[in-house]
Amino acid sequence: MAMSFAALAGFVVGALAVLFYRNQIEAPSRTDAVEGVETGAALPQGVASVLAVLPSSAVVLDAHDKVLRASSAARAFGLVKGDRLMAAELLALARQVRRDGEIRESEIDVAGHKFGQETTNFAVRVAPLGSFGQVLVLAEDQTERRRVEAVRRDFVANVSHELKTPVGALSLLAETIQDAADDPEAVTRFAGRMQHEAARLTYLVQDLITLSRIQGAEPIPTPGQVTIDEAIHDAIDHCNTKAAAKDITLVFGGTEGLRIWGDDELLVTALRNLIDNAVAYSPEHTRVVVSVRPAGDSVEISVSDQGIGIPEESLERIFERFFRVDAARSRATGGTGLGLAIVKHVAAAHAGEVSVWSKEGSGSTFTLRLPAFGGTAVAVPPSIPLEAAK
């Protein structure tokens, strides 16, 4: 990205320099009677057309730091206001370039003026134009690229950390078993721990594969009609063993026979993650309720628990990859930290959304809102074949 911007900036600087030079050869030393300045100090013909097609912010300054031309992007980002360049760092660069004639490149942060950003990061290139003190400023917004790079770095670091724990545990347990070869009881105990860590590693890899498949929020390639009841029953079947171990009852209620347009496997995955999460963070002898209801052109699927709840300050971050409200508890339950991120991306892939209500000590309710099959949430009686009910 930085290389492409430098190449584009170099080409633009060269093209504009040619235009300035040609303008000065064709009309040397002419005087503008109205403005009282040399025509060369104004914007030459053709320069405005070049600047208009640039994707980056572009500004041309005269010898007195007055803006001769500014692209709409430069004004939208707040780099230019009226006929003045507002970014002090850019103005300082422009004056240095005007003094010594050397092209300069840099990166600057500017207070956000667009899309609610706090700051906008720019890669900038400043070059002299002509012999009348004009300066060209090109600024490329690279805020999103930096954000993506930061997310990628964090993701790699988190994955490495999460993989290191079970892999390290397996290595230590293998050594321990080797040392305890003459103690069958110890071998059995440590082998059980190895199975637990291997299962944890398997879940993490599976979740990473699922997340990589859907995180682009791209439409589902081969969608079909999905019966909500069947998806919920499949998800509950996956979670029954964990729930039974804590004497947690899984309850299914609400409107039956509703359908969505999407991918049944992805929906089951999202529901399984929500139910697993509810079971993991609920005390023993409670219940988790999965309910369904029509909501106009959508279907709402809610998973409610009587668990520990989520602190208010954590609600905005719980769908981030690897974010944990209680890291120690999550690792103790074998969670990967990817479950809710997967749910968010499954919802996005179905053109839907997921929301959460929670209160500490009172439990949580996660709600998937997905577009209904046919555009309207209509229940289909089980006795009527789906094909005939279209």
Side-chain angles (χ1 to χ4, degrees), residues 5 20 25 29 43 47 87 112 114 118 129 132 153 165 173 209 228 242 276 323 355 357 361:
F5 172 65
F20 269 78
I25 292 298
S29 303
L43 197 66
V47 173
K114 194 175 181 182
E118 293 184 3
L129 289 178
F132 295 97
R153 285 196 302 271
T165 303
L173 287 167
I209 291 172
I228 301 297
K242 289 184 180 179
D276 263 344
F323 178 77
S355 59
W357 172 92

Side-chain angles (χ1 to χ4, degrees), residues 77-155:
F77 279 114
L79 295 176
V80 173
K81 189 172 183 180
D83 62 356
R84 291 297 171 190
L85 186 63
M86 304 303 294
E89 290 181 72
L90 277 182
L91 195 56
L93 279 176
R95 288 169 178 170
Q96 291 176 17
V97 168
R98 187 181 293 115
R99 281 197 300 268
D100 57 27
E102 293 184 6
I103 296 175
R104 283 180 168 79
E105 295 181 356
S106 183
E107 290 187 5
I108 66 168
D109 291 319
V110 177
H113 288 74
K114 194 175 181 182
F115 309 128
Q117 295 175 354
E118 293 184 3
T119 59
T120 303
N121 180 265
F122 291 98
V124 299
R125 187 178 179 93
V126 185
L129 289 178
S131 57
F132 295 97
Q134 295 97 341
V135 175
L136 170 67
V137 177
L138 295 176
E140 181 74 13
D141 176 18
Q142 55 180 9
T143 308
E144 181 63 18
R145 180 175 66 83
R146 282 203 158 191
R147 187 192 69 80
V148 171
E149 287 178 354
V151 169
R152 185 183 295 114
R153 285 196 302 271
D154 290 345
F155 182 69

Side-chain angles (χ1 to χ4, degrees), residues 9-352:
F11 171 77
V12 172
V13 170
L16 293 181
V18 169
L19 285 173
F20 269 78
Y21 176 76
R22 187 169 61 186
N23 177 266
Q24 292 169 26
I25 292 298
E26 292 175 352
S29 303
R30 288 186 300 170
T31 301
D32 190 321
V34 177
E35 297 291 338
V37 297
E38 291 178 327
T39 306
L43 197 66
Q45 183 179 4
V47 173
S49 300
V50 173
L51 297 181
V53 299
L54 290 178
S56 54
S57 302
V59 182
V60 177
L61 301 175
D62 68 8
H64 306 290
D65 295 330
K66 181 180 179 181
V67 174
L68 294 178
R69 172 70 64 171
S71 65
S72 56
R75 295 186 182 279
F77 279 114
L79 295 176
V80 173
K81 189 172 183 180
D83 62 356
R84 291 297 171 190
L85 186 63
M86 304 303 294
E89 290 181 72
L90 277 182
L91 195 56
L93 279 176
R95 288 169 178 170
Q96 291 176 17
V97 168
R98 187 181 293 115
R99 281 197 300 268
D100 57 27
E102 293 184 6
I103 296 175
R104 283 180 168 79
E105 295 181 356
S106 183
E107 290 187 5
I108 66 168
D109 291 319
V110 177
H113 288 74
K114 194 175 181 182
F115 309 128
Q117 295 175 354
E118 293 184 3
T119 59
T120 303
N121 180 265
F122 291 98
V124 299
R125 187 178 179 93
V126 185
L129 289 178
S131 57
F132 295 97
Q134 295 97 341
V135 175
L136 170 67
V137 177
L138 295 176
E140 181 74 13
D141 176 18
Q142 55 180 9
T143 308
E144 181 63 18
R145 180 175 66 83
R146 282 203 158 191
R147 187 192 69 80
V148 171
E149 287 178 354
V151 169
R152 185 183 295 114
R153 285 196 302 271
D154 290 345
F155 182 69
V156 171
N158 284 324
V159 168
S160 301
H161 178 76
E162 295 297 331
L163 288 173
K164 182 176 67 176
T165 303
V167 169
L170 285 170
S171 178
L172 290 173
L173 287 167
E175 291 179 10
T176 306
I177 286 179
Q178 191 174 24
D179 294 338
D182 297 331
D183 186 349
E185 185 176 330
V187 169
T188 301
R189 184 170 67 255
F190 291 130
R193 286 292 305 162
M194 289 184 72
Q195 289 178 333
H196 173 78
E197 294 297 338
R200 180 178 172 182
L201 188 59
T202 300
Y203 293 145
L204 177 57
V205 172
Q206 288 176 340
D207 281 351
L208 286 171
I209 291 172
T210 301
L211 192 59
S212 66
R213 174 187 169 194
I214 62 175
Q215 67 180 349
E218 298 176 356
I220 297 169
T222 55
Q225 56 177 314
V226 179
T227 304
I228 301 297
D229 303 348
E230 295 177 3
I232 292 175
H233 284 304
D234 286 348
I236 288 177
D237 285 343
H238 277 95
C239 303
N240 263 328
T241 302
K242 289 184 180 179
K246 297 178 67 174
D247 191 26
I248 292 176
T249 305
L250 303 181
V251 181
F252 171 37
T255 306
E256 298 183 355
L258 295 175
R259 299 166 297 159
I260 65 165
W261 185 255
D263 185 297
D264 56 349
E265 183 180 343
L266 286 180
L267 181 59
V268 170
T269 298
L271 292 173
R272 174 176 57 79
N273 278 305
L274 288 177
I275 298 171
D276 263 344
N277 208 54
V279 170
Y281 288 91
S282 292
E284 296 180 349
H285 318 303
T286 56
R287 67 176 189 167
V288 172
V289 179
V290 184
S291 59
V292 185
R293 74 181 187 92
D297 60 354
S298 301
V299 175
E300 290 187 351
I301 310 169
S302 297
V303 177
S304 303
D305 63 57
Q306 298 169 294
I308 60 175
I310 304 167
E312 185 175 353
E313 63 271 16
S314 298
L315 286 175
E316 292 184 359
R317 297 194 59 197
I318 56 173
F319 295 104
E320 295 178 12
R321 291 170 292 189
F322 296 112
F323 178 77
R324 291 178 169 96
V325 175
D326 185 344
R329 183 186 181 98
S330 181
R331 289 193 174 91
T333 59
T336 65
L338 294 172
L340 293 181
I342 289 173
V343 172
K344 182 187 73 172
H345 288 296
V346 169
H350 285 79

Side-chain angles (χ1 to χ4, degrees), residues 335-387:
T336 65
L338 294 172
L340 293 181
I342 289 173
V343 172
K344 182 187 73 172
H345 288 296
V346 169
H350 285 79
E353 60 183 6
V354 59
S355 59
V356 59
W357 172 92
S358 186
K359 184 178 181 181
E360 286 189 89
S362 300
S364 305
T365 298
F366 288 84
T367 301
L368 274 172
R369 186 182 178 93
L370 306 173
F373 176 74
T376 307
V378 178
V380 179
S383 58
I384 300 178
L386 289 178
E387 292 300 319

